[in-house]
Amino acid sequence: MNREELANLIFPTITKTIADYEAMYPERNLGENAHVTRFAPSPTGFMHIGHFMPLVIDYVLARQSEGIFYLRNEDTDTSREVEGAVEYIRSVLACYDMNPDEYEYRDTNETRGNYGPYIQSERKEIYQTFIKHLIIEGKAYPCFLTKEEMDSIREGQARDKRRIGIYGRYAKYRDLPVEEAIQKIKNGESYTIRLKSSGDFNRKFTFNDLVNGEMEFPENDQDIPIMKSKDGLPTYHFAHLVDDYLMHTTHVVRGQEWISSIPIHYELFKTFDFKMPKYIHIPLILKKDGESVRKISKRLDPEAKMTYYEEKGYPRLAVIEAVMTIANSNYEAWREGHPNAPFTEFAFSPKKMSSSGALFDLDKLDNISKNYISHLTKEEVYEGVLAWSKIYDEEFSKVLENYKDYSMQIYNIERGGKKPRKDYTYYSEIKEKTWYMYDEYFESIAYDFGSFSKEEVKKILDLYISAYYNEEDTQEEWFNRIKEMCNALGYATDMKDYKANQEKYKGSVVDVTNIIRIALTTLTTTPNLYDIMQIFGRERIEKRFSMI
Ligand code: GLU
């Protein structure tokens, strides 16, 4: 009776019961093996690759089991919230085409799914219903420790080399008579609500993590805060319990850093007698740093933030491929056997994750990405680079739009077939690899014809365009004509012969093709010259030659 009075004093407006919410959010009507997963970021303004990996796994697990993948906005820590963060998260999901089945977007007033609200700050009443129940049961209590008192407890514990926290005799208010607690609240004293832990630190329990297997932990005996004094919102631990219970999450995929909280979560679920979801604690993402390997860091490594991949313009599926490759060691072999299958068809297994850390290697991503782009159609490359440049290089996007077919012809050079060219690693690189194809970017300043004089170069180019160039030629005919010209001008066409008798010649057919190449592009290495000339056509070739 007294405890009820205390609970009503703290939560005068809470009238629903846990059973009411259980009735509102019944078991989901899904197949037996369906996985219900959630992506539950806090809106802190950026996304770390360490958040992206669980996201990909959440998505794969839900898709391949015909389950549900939902988005939950974990915004209970209002002090860390950054403006625009929610929109950013949403844009990442859209950009990687991993849109959730259930969500709530406040700015556009869109919501989908019967298990919402999906924004934690809108669930205050729900959390408080669960907390009120604990207070009535005597399993939670208001704690009046001030910040100064807590600081001094912590200092004392550190000094005496004891475990830090509010437990046992440090939990000064856990046994405060209810009447006194009521009085203090009526006096306006500030408080948080703490769990009245029933755990014993000297007792162990086993917990089965799907990545790490059986793990042993000491029981939690800390009276952890479950509701903050500032805004009446729950702590992460308590929100995790309530939300994943009511939303019927079957698999929690989250970072390793949460493993140490397992004793708390285990006790919370036990306190309510709720079944725990299964847990996939994904390994830390590591990177090579010289000779050693260390945790990837958002401070030191630009690639730790997902914006890095967006800015560089990696195709989204290449990034996902790279993440899947480090998630499961057998992914690569599966991919070789199923080159065209969607990544969601891969049978992801948490057991095949390395619990000691996943080594993320940018060179590997680059290789995956190069390979991926090399297998796209010219239209897909065009769409990819256009979408990228619309955001990051508006001027180039205009050029691309003005020269759509022309650009596609460029991307089509040595595309298709068993061994396509692998020119491009990401979209931001395409301009610097193709600029010379566009008159807008071409500048006639940097020609270097090596030992050949300008007069000789001009003589070759003039003769070539007037007597040997023919737009209709096949590649073979084109090359034969260059050779004919070489014979006429005193350049060797047979490299062996040239090497043996250099003094007899002005140079070789290689020099002549290079002169043409440099005249057209200023570069000494380019994709197939014949293809470039086909794309240019006579007019542009003449124009470029005339610039020498
Ligand atoms: N909001 C937590 C985070 O961003 C989510 C952890 C979880 O998935 O439970 O780290």
Side-chain angles (χ1 to χ4, degrees), residues 285-317:
I285 302 204
L286 308 173
K287 80 167 264 171
K288 270 212 186 96
D289 188 354
E291 289 301 289
S292 58
V293 166
R294 61 164 171 78
K295 191 179 151 188
I296 205 163
S297 136
K298 80 170 180 204
R299 200 170 47 82
L300 301 173
D301 311 310
E303 73 270 29
K305 290 189 184 179
M306 292 313 291
T307 42
Y308 175 81
Y309 307 96
E310 295 154 29
E311 284 159 16
K312 286 257 173 187
Y314 284 97
R316 63 179 184 86
L317 279 169

Side-chain angles (χ1 to χ4, degrees), residues 11 14 124-133 227 232:
F11 301 114
I14 299 295
K124 193 160 161 174
E125 220 180 280
I126 305 179
Y127 304 122
Q128 293 191 344
T129 302
F130 282 67
I131 294 173
K132 187 169 185 181
H133 170 84
M227 189 182 97

Side-chain angles (χ1 to χ4, degrees), residues 38 40-42 51 74 236 252-254 257-258:
R38 83 292 194 277
S42 302
H51 294 125
E74 305 221 320
Y236 166 78
V252 169
V253 186
R254 62 183 182 187
E257 66 273 20
W258 294 110

Side-chain angles (χ1 to χ4, degrees), residues 148-191:
E148 292 70 35
E149 280 177 297
M150 297 220 292
D151 287 346
S152 113
I153 291 174
R154 195 175 314 114
E155 278 160 26
Q157 288 168 333
R159 193 180 51 237
D160 302 343
K161 302 212 163 23
R162 288 175 187 274
R163 282 187 297 125
I164 306 291
I166 303 301
Y167 56 92
R169 67 186 166 89
Y170 303 107
K172 184 171 158 193
Y173 293 99
R174 75 180 336 237
D175 294 319
L176 184 75
V178 173
E179 296 70 23
E180 285 182 42
I182 290 176
Q183 203 46 57
K184 277 175 168 297
I185 292 174
K186 284 189 174 158
N187 291 346
E189 285 187 40
S190 151
Y191 59 91

